[in-house]
Amino acid sequence: MKSEEKNETVKKDQSNFLRNWYVWIISMIGLSSLFLLVTFWCTNIFQDTILSSLIIQKGTTSFDFWERPPVKLIYKFYIFNYTNVEDFESGKANKLRVQQLGPYIYRETKKRVNVQIHENGTISYQEEKSYQWESGNPENEMVVVPNIPLLAAISYFRNLHITAKLLLNLGLSTLNIKTFLNLTVSDFLWGYDDNLYNILKAFSSLQDPLPYERFGILVGSNGISKDRITINTGFNDMNYLGIIEKINGKSIQNIWGDEKCDKIYGTDGSMFPPKWINNYSTPLYIYVKELCKPLSFHFHEYSNVHGIPSLRYKMSMDSLKISSTDSCFCPKTVGHNTSERKCPPTGTFNVSACNSGLPILISFPNFYGADQSLIESIDGLKPNETLHESFLDLHQFLALPMNGSSKMQLNIEVRRAIGMPYTGKMKDGMILPIMWYDNTLDILPQKFINIFFDAHFVITIIERAFRWGSVLVFLSCICALSIKVRNHCIHRHLPLCENVSVGNKLIEG
């Protein structure tokens, strides 16, 4: 009878213990801290929630910034002025000499227009750009530059029948054509009237019409681009945020004659999938549609912008070098054997296949990193790593550019043709530097600096506070419950104390 009463007392006491509000509060706090512990230590839910704000979705701040970028791009153009053309053509000088003039600084304003959102998590658009001279050397400065329409025409006609060459020669003889032109910077960049170009327009209208009324290096840059780009919004998978899916409806271009090189891959450089910066050995890829190829950037060092830690990536020197594994980027030669390819000199990239056959080559400024023979063929070139390399500073969490500099040089290849004397003493295959540009981000508005600051420091503090706080609270709850149980059973002289005592002895032992 006494035993039954004792058991009944124990059960009643245990029931009272479980109904104790203190125990329930500690238990709920402990379970909540356990949930936070698992969430912050074992999953990426917190980071993914923050990164989801980058998804390009209509009605969001991210979409507004993407459609109308508030941070402008600054273009600094440097033009190579040829200073000894007469001496070179007369034989008094063995090499052409250039003088680098500039910078001519322009501000780019870009909008994404004709936007169409697709159900598969992609978005299509066209780019509308305008350029405004801002500072630097004046636009009316005179420069002596190669006659690009002439060199392009000779390159095109040299592979045609002798009759076509005679017709071109006949036309050129009436125009007083010169191999080098004296132009203002404004005309050279944005377009000038040229009699030869007008003849070429009339000729090309029978085949592939030239798209512009006047010739200029950047004549087609202002206005709405004809190319329609489709990118991934990150809505279905953040790992593909910003990646270009298609250009003009094609994911594989018909440029290089090889699927490996024709495949479109990379972003436009305005954003990157955050997973790309999780592993520093993973390169970043920017697809440049003007080159019809991606350029790779590799992690170089930790940096900081406005006191905010960042990751510095530098453009790989191999971006413009062609190896045996990507020889498909070498254009096919014109002739009977169309499968044969001709690769350009080391450190240059032939974009003629991507630009209607024009003999245009891209390099780093002043042939930095290119074959030494290119540097020695022209007087006045001074390649410099600090001045001529390209880099990107990315936010360590958002993978958005905070600073950067992209530098490229435009060159033209001289292609001599039998019976056409206009190339003078220049050798066949000689590469003439024309100009180079430095594309940088404008000064970040304070609003963006605050966003980047919060995304690094504030979010880092919050994440660490929840991580270690959840561990501390969970352990504290375990200790509090253990003490409560121990004190309760000792005070009531309950059998449970025996288990507690055994546990204490094991711990002490």
Side-chain angles (χ1 to χ4, degrees):
M1 188 71 180
K2 290 183 178 180
S3 176
E4 291 179 1
E5 290 178 356
K6 184 176 181 181
N7 290 336
E8 188 67 28
T9 302
V10 170
K11 290 179 180 179
K12 185 177 180 181
D13 199 70
Q14 289 177 343
S15 178
N16 291 334
F17 174 78
L18 293 176
R19 287 199 300 268
N20 191 307
W21 63 270
Y22 174 81
V23 174
W24 279 105
I25 290 177
I26 294 298
S27 299
M28 293 303 296
I29 294 175
L31 289 174
S32 299
S33 62
L34 178 62
F35 172 77
L36 292 175
L37 188 150
V38 172
T39 299
F40 281 87
W41 285 94
C42 304
T43 72
N44 294 320
I45 294 176
F46 178 74
Q47 295 94 327
D48 292 344
T49 301
I50 301 299
L51 291 174
S52 65
S53 63
L54 298 176
I55 294 174
I56 305 172
Q57 197 170 7
K58 201 160 189 177
T60 64
T61 302
S62 177
F63 180 88
D64 295 338
F65 286 165
W66 171 82
E67 188 178 35
R68 299 285 190 275
V71 182
K72 312 299 182 184
L73 292 178
I74 302 297
Y75 278 84
K76 299 176 182 178
F77 296 110
Y78 299 85
I79 298 175
F80 291 106
N81 178 46
Y82 285 77
T83 60
N84 68 335
V85 172
E86 292 183 2
D87 288 345
F88 177 76
E89 291 179 343
S90 65
K92 294 181 180 179
N94 295 324
K95 293 191 292 185
L96 287 167
R97 184 188 307 113
V98 294
Q99 174 192 16
Q100 179 178 289
L101 299 180
Y104 307 93
I105 302 175
Y106 292 81
R107 180 186 297 271
E108 178 195 84
T109 300
K110 180 167 69 174
K111 296 185 292 184
R112 294 180 171 94
V113 298
N114 301 325
V115 176
Q116 184 178 2
I117 300 174
H118 307 289
E119 293 181 357
N120 63 350
T122 62
I123 188 169
S124 300
Y125 62 93
Q126 291 170 279
E127 292 181 336
E128 182 179 357
K129 298 180 181 179
S130 63
Y131 295 85
Q132 182 68 40
W133 182 86
E134 188 163 277
S135 61
N137 290 25
E139 288 185 299
N140 60 0
E141 196 166 51
M142 302 299 295
V143 290
V144 177
V145 291
N147 188 338
I148 297 176
L150 172 65
L151 297 178
I154 294 174
S155 172
Y156 178 77
F157 278 88
R158 79 169 185 168
N159 295 308
L160 299 183
H161 192 270
I162 186 64
T163 305
K165 295 179 185 177
L166 290 174
L167 288 174
L168 178 62
N169 256 331
L170 182 62
L172 294 179
S173 63
T174 64
L175 299 178
N176 190 27
I177 293 294
K178 294 182 179 180
T179 311
F180 290 84
L181 301 176
N182 194 9
L183 301 169
T184 65
V185 169
S186 178
D187 287 345
F188 180 60
L189 292 179
W190 306 109
Y192 60 94
D193 292 320
D194 184 85
N195 291 330
L196 172 58
Y197 185 73
N198 292 333
I199 293 176
L200 295 177
K201 277 196 302 180
F203 181 83
S204 67
S205 63
L206 302 175
Q207 300 180 12
D208 186 16
L210 294 174
Y212 308 112
E213 289 300 315
R214 304 196 303 170
F215 177 80
I217 297 296
L218 304 174
V219 71
S221 299
N222 281 301
I224 299 177
S225 170
K226 62 180 178 62
D227 294 319
R228 187 162 185 82
I229 304 171
T230 302
I231 67 170
N232 198 298
T233 64
F235 182 78
N236 294 329
D237 191 342
M238 281 293 295
N239 291 329
Y240 295 93
L241 173 68
I243 290 181
I244 299 175
E245 300 283 348
K246 296 178 182 179
I247 295 179
N248 297 323
K250 297 180 180 179
S251 59
I252 298 178
Q253 303 280 64
N254 185 23
I255 301 294
W256 305 106
D258 187 284
E259 185 173 326
K260 177 183 176 182
C261 290
D262 279 328
K263 183 176 177 60
I264 297 171
Y265 184 70
T267 75
D268 65 357
S270 62
M271 61 177 64
F272 297 93
K275 75 167 185 178
W276 282 11
I277 64 172
N278 290 339
N279 185 350
Y280 295 163
S281 63
T282 301
L284 309 178
Y285 290 98
I286 297 177
Y287 189 84
V288 184
K289 58 186 179 67
E290 291 78 11
L291 307 184
C292 299
K293 83 179 297 282
L295 300 177
S296 61
F297 286 73
H298 293 262
F299 176 74
H300 179 69
E301 63 184 355
Y302 293 99
S303 183
N304 75 81
V305 180
H306 298 289
I308 304 169
S310 61
L311 305 174
R312 172 157 293 189
Y313 286 76
K314 288 189 176 182
M315 186 186 294
S316 170
M317 296 298 295
D318 295 333
S319 292
L320 300 182
K321 293 180 181 178
I322 298 175
S323 64
S324 57
T325 59
D326 57 4
S327 60
C328 50
F329 281 121
C330 298
K332 291 182 178 180
T333 57
V334 179
H336 297 292
N337 185 10
T338 56
S339 63
E340 184 180 347
R341 295 179 181 271
K342 180 182 178 182
C343 295
T346 301
T348 63
F349 185 77
N350 191 329
V351 294
S352 58
C354 191
N355 290 273
S356 304
L358 293 175
I360 300 297
L361 289 88
I362 299 297
S363 70
F364 293 118
N366 283 252
F367 292 126
Y368 166 65
D371 192 285
Q372 188 64 26
S373 62
L374 296 176
I375 302 171
E376 295 175 351
S377 65
I378 304 286
D379 279 338
L381 297 175
K382 300 176 182 178
N384 182 289
E385 178 180 357
T386 304
L387 298 177
H388 300 146
E389 65 179 359
S390 299
F391 69 91
L392 275 174
D393 288 334
L394 299 185
H395 191 275
Q396 291 187 0
F397 180 63
L398 302 177
L400 294 176
M402 302 169 65
N403 187 27
S405 175
S406 176
K407 300 165 184 172
M408 283 289 167
Q409 179 171 301
L410 186 69
N411 312 282
I412 188 165
E413 181 182 5
V414 176
R415 297 177 181 174
R416 297 177 65 91
I418 297 175
M420 304 186 74
Y422 299 97
T423 50
K425 288 181 58 182
M426 292 184 291
K427 297 179 181 179
D428 186 59
M430 184 178 183
I431 298 176
L432 303 178
I434 299 173
M435 59 170 286
W436 67 275
Y437 68 82
D438 180 6
N439 176 13
T440 62
L441 282 175
D442 197 3
I443 298 174
L444 291 176
Q446 188 60 44
K447 181 178 181 179
F448 271 77
I449 295 175
N450 294 340
I451 291 174
F452 287 139
F453 182 91
D454 292 344
H456 180 81
F457 292 105
V458 176
I459 290 177
T460 299
I461 291 172
I462 292 174
E463 183 179 18
R464 289 180 180 177
F466 273 100
R467 274 192 167 196
W468 293 106
S470 62
V471 172
L472 180 62
V473 172
F474 180 72
L475 293 177
S476 299
C477 289
I478 295 296
C479 292
L481 285 175
S482 299
I483 293 171
K484 180 66 176 177
V485 170
R486 184 175 183 277
N487 291 340
H488 178 77
C489 65
I490 290 175
H491 179 71
R492 299 292 185 178
H493 303 287
L494 299 176
L496 183 62
C497 293
E498 297 177 5
N499 296 331
V500 175
S501 299
V502 171
N504 290 337
K505 289 179 180 179
L506 289 173
I507 294 173
E508 292 172 0

